[in-house]
């Protein structure tokens, strides 16, 4: 979350319009910790979804999920609030 707050840019069109909202980005954390299959699930508009998606695509690798001691792919829904 620290990475997101540091790198997320509030779109100027949303700022000018005074828009707020929550974007939900869905992605898969692969067994090696990389992010794949990123897509916007909820988008309040004004380019907020695209800004959030770009940050998620550029995130560093995650710690992969484990199940019964083995690394597995994990589907993740990440809410990002614009205020």
């Amino acid at each position: 979350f620290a990475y997101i707050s540091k790198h997320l840019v509030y779109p100027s069109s949303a700022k000018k319009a005074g828009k707020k909202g929550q974007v939900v980005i869905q992605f898969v954390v692969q067994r090696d910790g990389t992010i794949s299959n990123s897509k916007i699930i909820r988008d309040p508009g004004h380019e907020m979804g695209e800004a959030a998606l770009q940050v998620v695509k550029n995130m560093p690798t995650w710690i992969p999920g484990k199940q019964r001691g083995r690394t597995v792919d994990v589907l993740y829904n990440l809410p990002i609030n614009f205020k």
Side-chain angles (χ1 to χ4, degrees), residues 2 8 36 40 44 60 66 81:
L8 186 65
S36 67
I40 301 168
K66 287 191 175 189
N81 293 311

Side-chain angles (χ1 to χ4, degrees), residues 41-62:
I41 300 298
R42 185 184 317 156
D43 184 1
H46 294 279
E47 301 173 3
M48 289 186 269
E50 288 300 320
L53 183 62
Q54 195 61 37
V55 169
V56 169
K57 285 183 176 182
N58 293 325
M59 279 194 295
T61 58
W62 284 41

Side-chain angles (χ1 to χ4, degrees), residues 64-76:
K66 287 191 175 189
Q67 188 173 32
R68 296 186 194 118
R70 299 171 61 192
T71 58
V72 293
D73 295 344
V74 178
L75 182 66
Y76 196 85

